[in-house]
Amino acid sequence: MIVCFDIGGTAIKGAVAYAPDDIRAFPRRPTPGDDFDAFVETLRAVIAESGGTPACVSISIAGVIDPDTHRAIVANIPCIHGRTLSADLAQALDLPVIVANDADCFAIAEASIGAGQGHRVVFGAIMGSGVGGGLVIDGRLINSDGGFAGEWGHGPVAATTAGHPPVAIPPIPCGCGLKGCIDATCSARGMEKLHSFLHGETLTSEEIISAWQDGDPMAARTIEILVDIIASPLALVINVTGATIVPVGGGLSNSPELLEAIDVAVKARILRRFDRPLVVPATCRVEPGLIGAALLGLRVSGETS
């Protein structure tokens, strides 16, 4: 038995996991963002609720563990940002602690029990308020010790012209400090900025997609350009990694039509030919971070028991 958590800036989701198909969630608790002692006590309360001593604690966070320093980079939870989080929590809880990025947890969930089952190389892509991803090869995360692999949303690679006919696209500033990242241009917020730039109209990403599906020509132009921008970087990721399936999560994945358009564009730009969908909706739609954390914890506890 292990206890797993999916921790975000506002809520801590906890569960006890006995097997991949036996994960029992507890009620959510608020995240103590500025008080590490309170943060630890919240985790300790969930562990106590499990009714036993877990083999380990496994945590999914909306952040990255620096592979060189082992320190957490978690901007929206100040009390754990900059800490050697796994070691600090292990000492505080007196239990082994695994910490992984939430996109990596999503990827391992999809590779293990989701759309990636049966594939050697799975690239799990997140397309929501941000663009991210995780890479799983032979059932194992590339980022097993932390790191930035899979972060295809960052880097100044967004096309400066896109669409048919082509239109010039400004390099949109990204929260990472660069300009022209896919995260800034093709996330849900990026779609909104792109639409505003093209048409001078402010709509949410949900409204843009709905208008596109209803045949609105301005929304259709926005989607066409977004697909043109995002397809080449994703095609490059697939060529480099050899991924044979790309499950997609995040808010934009709620539109099957959008994923189908991206799939068609990506398959036209990769070296390997597929006669089936490659970019597909994720099947772990509910709590993939929690499921991925559980799977990682169960695997480690099985290897070390």
Side-chain angles (χ1 to χ4, degrees):
M1 179 266 283
I2 66 106
V3 173
C4 53
F5 294 94
D6 183 9
I7 301 178
T10 59
I12 292 178
K13 308 166 193 175
V16 58
Y18 297 92
D21 58 353
D22 189 2
I23 302 169
R24 307 174 193 180
F26 297 120
R28 299 184 183 194
R29 291 166 164 81
T31 303
D34 297 307
D35 187 334
F36 185 70
D37 290 338
F39 182 89
V40 171
E41 286 307 313
T42 301
L43 302 190
R44 188 176 283 128
V46 175
I47 294 167
E49 195 173 339
S50 72
T53 302
C56 73
V57 173
S58 184
I59 299 174
S60 166
I61 59 168
V64 177
I65 301 300
D66 188 297
D68 299 313
T69 66
H70 305 293
R71 295 188 180 277
I73 304 170
V74 191
N76 62 344
I77 309 177
C79 72
I80 65 174
H81 179 71
R83 283 186 172 271
T84 51
L85 190 57
S86 180
D88 290 357
L89 289 177
Q91 181 177 17
L93 299 171
D94 196 26
L95 288 167
V97 175
I98 304 160
V99 180
N101 168 262
D102 56 355
D104 287 337
C105 287
F106 162 78
I108 198 69
E110 285 298 317
S112 301
I113 63 172
Q117 290 182 84
H119 292 264
R120 279 196 62 238
V121 184
V122 178
F123 185 73
I126 301 293
M127 291 177 56
S129 57
V131 174
L135 180 62
V136 177
I137 298 178
D138 292 330
R140 295 182 179 275
L141 277 171
I142 291 297
N143 286 341
S144 58
D145 294 318
F148 299 90
E151 291 289 352
W152 71 294
H154 295 284
V157 298
T160 55
T161 59
H164 305 283
V167 61
I169 306 296
I172 299 173
C174 182
C176 73
L178 298 172
K179 290 184 178 181
C181 294
I182 295 300
D183 186 279
T185 309
C186 297
S187 63
R189 303 293 82 79
M191 178 188 291
E192 293 160 4
K193 293 174 183 176
L194 188 61
H195 188 81
S196 178
F197 166 75
L198 292 170
H199 309 297
E201 181 181 55
T202 300
L203 295 176
T204 67
S205 58
E206 292 87 353
E207 290 169 336
I208 295 166
I209 290 172
S210 178
W212 168 53
Q213 292 170 342
D214 289 341
D216 178 78
M218 291 195 301
R221 177 67 164 157
T222 298
I223 297 297
E224 178 216 347
I225 290 171
L226 181 140
V227 169
D228 194 22
I229 294 171
I230 203 169
S232 291
L234 186 51
L236 183 59
V237 168
I238 292 165
N239 279 345
V240 170
T241 63
T244 56
I245 197 78
V246 182
V248 183
L252 295 182
S253 72
N254 292 327
S255 170
E257 296 85 354
L258 177 60
L259 294 193
E260 183 179 353
I262 293 172
D263 179 60
V264 170
V266 167
K267 286 192 294 188
R269 306 180 194 200
I270 57 175
L271 295 174
R272 186 172 178 178
R273 295 299 167 208
F274 292 89
D275 58 1
R276 57 164 175 82
L278 174 63
V279 180
V280 301
T283 58
C284 296
R285 308 297 293 182
V286 180
E287 308 294 6
L290 199 59
I291 293 170
L295 293 170
L296 288 173
L298 288 167
R299 178 170 296 169
V300 169
S301 67
E303 289 174 352
T304 59
S305 62

